[in-house]
Each structure stands twice: as C-alpha cells, then as structure tokens.
Amino acid sequence: MSNTVIIGAGIIGCSTAYYLSESPRTQAQSIHLVEASPKLFASASGYAGGFLASDWFSPSVAPLGALSFKLHKELADKHDGRMKWGYSRSTGTSLNHESNVVGGNKERAEDWLRHGSSRAEAAGEHEFSEGEGPAWLTKRRGASIEVISEDETVAQVYARRCSMIMVRACADPARDPLRLSQFLLDQCTARGVQLHHPARAISVSKDIRDHLASVRLLSSDGTETDST
C-alpha cells in the first residue's frame, strides 16, 4: 500500500487529508500529515479573517472557488459548524470615505512620520454620522456604503476550532479559522490519519523509473523515517 504525504498541517493540509480520507480507495492510515512548526495553526490557518466567498475569483479558478464555498456550507451543515467554528452567512459591503477632514493635513497617511508630525495631525478631525450599514459601524459624514455581494455568496468562519477536529475524525467554516482547522485535524486523526508533529521532510528518493518513491522525515527527537 502506497502512502500519501502531505507537507504542512495547516487548514489546507488538514482539508486535503480530510477529504482524501473520505475516499473508499484511500485508507486513512496511509495518509501522513507533516508539520514542522512547533505550534499548530500558528499562522494564517489560526489567525486569518475567515472570510469566504463563492464568486470573488478570476475566471481560471472560479469553479474551484465556487466548489470550496459549497463544501464549506456542507461541512458546517453536517457538523454544526455554526456552533463549533462560528460559520455564518454574511453580506459583503464596501465603505467609501469621501475627503471631509476639518483642519487635517492633506499629506498621505504614510507621510506623517517622514515630516515629523503626528498621526493625529495627519488624520485631522472628522464629523461622524449614523445611517445605513452594520449597527457597529460609525461612518464619517459624506461616506457611503455599498453592498458588493449577491445573496448567499459570502460567509464568515472562526477558523481555529475547525483544524483540530479534522485531525481527530481524519485522527472527525466561517468565522474562526483556528477552530475550523482544529476540527478538521481532529476528524482526520480519529479516522487514522497519521500526524507527524513537529517533523519535517528532509529528502525524497526516486525509483528506477525516476518516479517519486519515498519521503524521509526527521522528527524533533532526531528520528528519521521513510514514508513510501
């Protein structure tokens, strides 16, 4: 039985292992997740904004974007993603601030350091107004809000909770990427996917046909193993 080695156990690696382990032609035990970072989900997989969209893509990847958005919803519906990792539908808006600064410096925002002034002086004073838009948003007078998403095309996820659960289902989005990443990881490990952490790939070898044959892994304790 050949193995599948996935380098990187972030949300992409966990998602790959999760869906690959659902295939009847792949044994979960043959899937290896390899993560070199001492802390799981320490970068974008744990701290990104968690924004999801179905149609904000260039033509070359538009079908993939639409499929990803569909799978996010199906995953949330199946595993109560709203509670577990904060999946929710949302509305995309664009806030346009017209120049309406009283007593402010007209220099660009990044120039205030160069000119020896202060951020407050560069910003000046603004008049604020209430109106349409989210209840938490305070707009400057003269600003406008435009809805830039169509119905049912954007969502949000809290990602942290999702990656850990996949390792436990594959070892089982959208507002918290860490919870989503954790969920996926927990699901994966529960299914039998093997997590190598912390570990890194140090070499690959090829067979007589010049095809990739194995990956050598180095664990944090200095142990080297081959995954073929």
Side-chain angles (χ1 to χ4, degrees), residues 45-122:
S45 294
Y47 298 98
F51 177 73
L52 308 174
S54 66
D55 56 358
W56 294 24
F57 301 92
S58 61
S60 61
V61 294
L64 184 61
L67 174 61
S68 174
F69 189 81
K70 175 176 176 287
L71 292 176
H72 266 289
K73 183 180 185 303
E74 291 177 353
L75 187 68
D77 290 343
K78 182 178 180 180
H79 295 284
D80 193 16
R82 183 174 183 84
M83 290 298 298
K84 290 180 178 177
W85 58 88
Y87 177 92
S88 65
R89 290 301 181 95
S90 60
T91 301
T93 59
S94 175
L95 174 62
N96 178 34
H97 281 301
E98 299 293 338
S99 179
N100 189 26
V101 179
V102 179
N105 194 328
K106 298 300 183 182
E107 65 190 3
R108 295 180 304 169
E110 66 269 24
D111 287 341
W112 64 270
L113 279 174
R114 185 182 306 126
H115 295 166
S117 59
S118 70
R119 184 185 296 273
E121 290 174 343

Side-chain angles (χ1 to χ4, degrees), residues 116-130:
S117 59
S118 70
R119 184 185 296 273
E121 290 174 343
E125 298 179 3
H126 303 274
E127 296 181 19
F128 293 94
S129 64
E130 298 180 357

Side-chain angles (χ1 to χ4, degrees), residues 108-178:
R108 295 180 304 169
E110 66 269 24
D111 287 341
W112 64 270
L113 279 174
R114 185 182 306 126
H115 295 166
S117 59
S118 70
R119 184 185 296 273
E121 290 174 343
E125 298 179 3
H126 303 274
E127 296 181 19
F128 293 94
S129 64
E130 298 180 357
E132 63 180 7
W136 48 262
L137 178 63
T138 301
K139 298 189 304 177
R140 297 176 183 171
R141 192 169 303 280
S144 61
I145 290 184
E146 177 186 2
V147 175
I148 57 175
S149 65
E150 297 181 359
D151 292 343
E152 303 295 313
T153 61
V154 296
Q156 193 73 20
V157 66
Y158 286 112
R160 293 189 186 203
R161 184 174 293 179
C162 188
S163 299
M164 232 7 136
I165 297 179
M166 276 189 161
V167 168
R168 294 175 187 172
C170 256
D172 148 2
R175 299 240 328 212
D176 184 349
L178 177 56

Side-chain angles (χ1 to χ4, degrees), residues 5-50:
V5 179
I6 300 172
I7 307 300
I11 195 166
I12 293 176
C14 287
S15 298
T16 302
Y18 176 83
Y19 287 104
L20 185 61
S21 67
E22 290 191 326
S23 170
R25 298 193 294 180
T26 303
Q27 295 187 18
Q29 295 82 356
S30 70
I31 303 172
H32 298 258
L33 276 168
V34 183
E35 177 56 56
S37 174
K39 181 180 178 182
L40 290 170
F41 318 125
S43 298
S45 294
Y47 298 98

Side-chain angles (χ1 to χ4, degrees), residues 204-222:
V204 297
S205 60
K206 297 182 178 181
D207 58 21
I208 58 175
R209 298 170 298 174
D210 201 34
H211 294 170
L212 181 64
S214 68
V215 178
R216 178 164 286 263
L217 305 177
L218 175 64
S219 300
S220 58
D221 61 3

